[in-house]
Amino acid sequence: MEIKDQFAKNLHYLYAVFENNLKKRYTYMNIDTIQSVYFVGAGGIGMSALVRYFLSLGKTVAGYDRTASELTERLNTEGAAIHYEDNVELIPMACRDREHTLVVYTPAVPQDHTELTWFRTQGFEIQKRAQVLGTITRSRRGLCVAGTHGKTTTSSMAAHLIYQSHVGATAFLGGISQNYGTNLLLSDKSDYVVIEADEFDRSFHQLLPYITVITSTDPDHLDIYGTPEAYWESFEKYTSLIQPGGALIIHEGLEITPRVQEGVKTYTYSRSQGDFHAENIRIGGGEIIIDFVHPEGTIKDITLGVPLSVNIDNGIAAMAMVWLCGVTEEELREGMASFRGVERRFDFKLKTDGKVYLSDYAHHPAEIRQSARSIRELYAGRKVTAIFQPHLYSRTQDFYREFAESLSLFDEVILTNIYPAREEPIPGVTSQLIYDHLVPQVQKQLISKEEVLALVEAKKDELEVLVTLGAGDIENYAQAITQILKS
């Protein structure tokens, strides 16, 4: 019997038993009885997918975010009512009905937030974003992608592969898909749901995956976890949540020991070895073509729609996940070739013979290292300049040496001030720490964020390949940088 058939056999029985046990352990508001949903921190990429999901269900949706953005304005035009002042008086009447309103918040919002405090004192049902996604995985078969890095591209790739196939899926993405122009895909023909499993604040412990990929476990968020060992233990705990009858697909060589339940199949993957891997890799002429090896054979001549070497690993993981769900050989081949990527993930803004500019969300040393190597591979012999905005004081404090090592793979590095996000400054922690540890061979500058555009204007003639890196608001300058380089 084929592996895919083994997964299908007895699935409904195992799932029914597991669901029955879950009902004894969890009590969540029934999504069907909710009439309105209020989001505290509505403009985040993960939260906005849920905003769109509840709008699709016909719920009244409103919320708060700190600042207006292109995304929040789009949500308003789609039917949400989002405001930008922390003021209880601005909460719509429809969201003041305690019995029929769900409040969803992101951990990035301060605990003393006025609106959030009001909802707590009034006894509303309040859940983190991850709890809501967890509720959804309890009624569907969750295809979840976890890992320090690679999870947004891998989950978006998997979502595209299965969405365009005969199988179908709903998907909550951690970025805006270039194929669909949104971070939410809806399917009324499938009970699969693709979710990016976020390890921050141990949020992914709220999920109950059917199949999960773990891409990487490079320690991060040490302000939350404290030690690398605690970070790895959190991933091990996550593997124990996979539903019986499901599967774990884990990258070769990770620093964790899975703790899967009985009845969960474990597979390994990587670029060159494992149950799923690539063979006959061909890179050249702006293309990457591979043969995809799975436990039952090989699918030849798969072209990567986004031809970056890092996407060989990401593609293998995504294909492995959806192959287990029954996506066919031809659907895999067509889906991989038509995948167009995710905004801010190796996102080309300008590509001409003389100038190349791309934006990348990389904000961890391992991600920056992958980004640098991929750019070097694509543009060998050309000068590559990186503008990097560090994200979080705590991450900079923990990894400034590693950041410097990864950034030293570029020819020129321009550092801006740290983007604080949810944090207060830490004395002595600035971008200077990274700057001082860059290798001597690298050209380097340390500037304020507000000086970026003037610097690009002054240097535009010598910028051959430029990349802006970071998870903060450096992306807000991308359009202006593109126009400067075009001129």
Side-chain angles (χ1 to χ4, degrees):
M1 181 181 294
E2 290 189 353
I3 292 172
K4 290 179 285 186
D5 293 335
Q6 291 174 352
F7 270 104
K9 188 176 181 180
N10 296 326
L11 172 64
H12 295 294
Y13 170 74
L14 288 169
Y15 190 72
V17 172
F18 197 56
E19 250 321 77
N20 186 55
N21 290 334
L22 284 171
K23 289 175 182 177
K24 300 175 183 176
R25 296 166 52 200
Y26 297 95
T27 54
Y28 288 92
M29 177 179 281
N30 186 337
I31 289 177
D32 293 334
T33 64
I34 296 169
Q35 295 178 5
S36 57
V37 187
Y38 192 86
F39 288 84
V40 183
I45 194 67
M47 292 280 275
S48 62
L50 283 175
V51 170
R52 286 170 162 151
Y53 177 70
F54 283 109
L55 284 172
S56 76
L57 297 180
K59 313 294 184 184
T60 298
V61 180
Y64 157 88
D65 204 79
R66 184 172 57 183
T67 56
S69 67
E70 180 182 350
L71 182 53
T72 58
E73 292 306 305
R74 285 170 64 183
L75 295 176
N76 278 328
T77 62
E78 291 169 21
I82 299 171
H83 61 266
Y84 310 103
E85 179 185 344
D86 181 12
N87 184 346
V88 173
E89 298 302 318
L90 298 178
I91 299 172
M93 288 304 299
C95 297
R96 294 171 178 265
D97 179 0
R98 183 176 58 197
E99 299 304 317
H100 299 97
T101 299
L102 172 64
V103 179
V104 185
Y105 75 100
T106 170
V109 172
Q111 290 301 302
D112 61 353
H113 188 274
T114 304
E115 293 181 9
L116 191 57
T117 300
W118 183 82
F119 282 117
R120 285 198 183 101
T121 59
Q122 298 299 311
F124 278 74
E125 175 83 11
I126 302 175
Q127 295 185 8
K128 293 182 182 179
R129 178 181 68 92
Q131 288 175 278
V132 180
L133 291 174
T135 299
I136 293 169
T137 62
R138 287 169 175 82
S139 61
R140 296 190 176 206
R141 287 183 283 180
L143 307 179
C144 305
V145 180
T148 313
H149 45 82
K151 54 183 176 285
T152 297
T153 297
T154 303
S155 58
S156 298
M157 195 179 287
H160 174 62
L161 290 173
I162 196 168
Y163 186 78
Q164 57 88 49
S165 77
H166 76 282
V167 179
T170 292
F172 297 87
L173 304 178
I176 302 298
S177 164
Q178 300 277 29
N179 286 87
Y180 306 102
T182 183
N183 53 354
L184 175 69
L185 303 179
L186 294 170
S187 172
D188 58 5
K189 69 178 183 179
S190 173
D191 66 346
Y192 286 113
V193 56
V194 180
I195 291 173
E196 182 176 322
D198 187 5
E199 79 278 8
F200 172 72
D201 199 29
R202 297 177 173 84
S203 292
F204 60 172
H205 291 175
Q206 302 290 336
L207 305 176
L208 291 178
Y210 170 57
I211 301 175
T212 190
V213 165
I214 298 181
T215 64
S216 52
T217 55
D218 299 296
D220 196 9
H221 305 300
L222 297 187
D223 56 322
I224 301 294
Y225 288 99
T227 66
E229 289 74 20
Y231 185 78
W232 294 325
E233 194 282 331
S234 185
F235 275 90
E236 292 175 359
K237 166 69 175 176
Y238 171 70
T239 65
S240 73
L241 304 175
I242 303 170
Q243 300 174 21
L248 167 65
I249 305 168
I250 185 169
H251 197 285
E252 289 269 3
L254 300 190
E255 293 277 354
I256 65 170
T257 302
R259 303 206 303 254
V260 298
Q261 302 182 67
E262 184 177 355
V264 173
K265 179 70 173 178
T266 298
Y267 299 94
T268 60
Y269 82 96
S270 74
R271 177 172 177 150
S272 58
Q273 60 183 346
D275 299 303
F276 299 93
H277 63 272
E279 287 182 349
N280 192 25
I281 299 172
R282 288 144 283 170
I283 301 176
E287 287 188 336
I288 296 180
I289 302 172
I290 67 172
D291 295 343
F292 172 58
V293 180
H294 56 77
E296 294 178 0
T298 301
I299 303 175
K300 294 184 177 296
D301 299 330
I302 291 179
T303 300
L304 303 190
V306 181
L308 301 169
S309 58
V310 66
N311 279 341
I312 297 176
D313 281 80
N314 293 336
I316 292 165
M319 287 188 288
M321 175 178 279
V322 302
W323 179 82
L324 290 173
C325 300
V327 175
T328 68
E329 176 176 330
E330 193 53 40
E331 288 169 341
L332 283 176
R333 192 178 282 109
E334 291 179 4
M336 289 299 293
S338 61
F339 179 67
R340 293 292 170 260
V342 186
E343 289 184 9
R344 295 195 70 179
R345 268 68 176 185
F346 236 90
D347 186 2
F348 283 93
K349 304 294 186 181
L350 178 67
K351 190 190 297 186
T352 69
D353 291 340
K355 297 285 183 191
V356 174
Y357 169 49
L358 59 152
S359 169
D360 197 1
Y361 194 72
H363 58 284
H364 185 278
E367 294 172 331
I368 293 172
R369 184 167 58 251
Q370 286 185 335
S371 182
R373 288 173 176 169
S374 292
I375 295 172
R376 286 287 190 205
E377 191 172 47
L378 278 174
Y379 300 105
R382 299 179 68 175
K383 180 183 177 182
V384 182
T385 300
I387 300 175
F388 177 52
Q389 180 187 48
H391 187 261
L392 299 179
Y393 294 102
S394 59
R395 185 180 283 124
T396 304
Q397 182 181 49
D398 291 333
F399 300 117
Y400 64 88
R401 290 183 179 86
E402 291 84 354
F403 276 122
E405 181 181 357
S406 296
L407 288 165
S408 293
L409 296 173
F410 295 101
D411 297 302
E412 181 178 18
V413 175
I414 298 164
L415 284 164
T416 75
N417 39 302
I418 296 171
Y419 183 78
R422 59 186 180 272
E423 293 184 336
E424 295 298 322
I426 298 175
V429 178
T430 69
S431 297
Q432 186 77 40
L433 288 172
I434 302 172
Y435 182 90
D436 290 342
H437 286 80
L438 291 165
V439 299
Q441 295 89 335
V442 172
Q443 293 178 248
K444 58 184 182 179
Q445 284 186 259
L446 185 59
I447 63 174
S448 70
K449 179 184 64 177
E450 292 73 23
E451 297 174 285
V452 165
L453 295 182
L455 182 65
V456 172
E457 177 69 44
K459 295 174 67 69
K460 65 182 180 182
D461 291 338
E462 63 186 83
L463 293 174
E464 298 180 44
V465 180
L466 174 66
V467 57
T468 47
L469 300 164
D473 57 1
I474 190 70
E475 174 69 11
N476 294 345
Y477 293 103
Q479 184 175 359
I481 290 172
T482 303
Q483 292 305 314
I484 291 171
L485 295 178
K486 279 183 177 180
S487 68

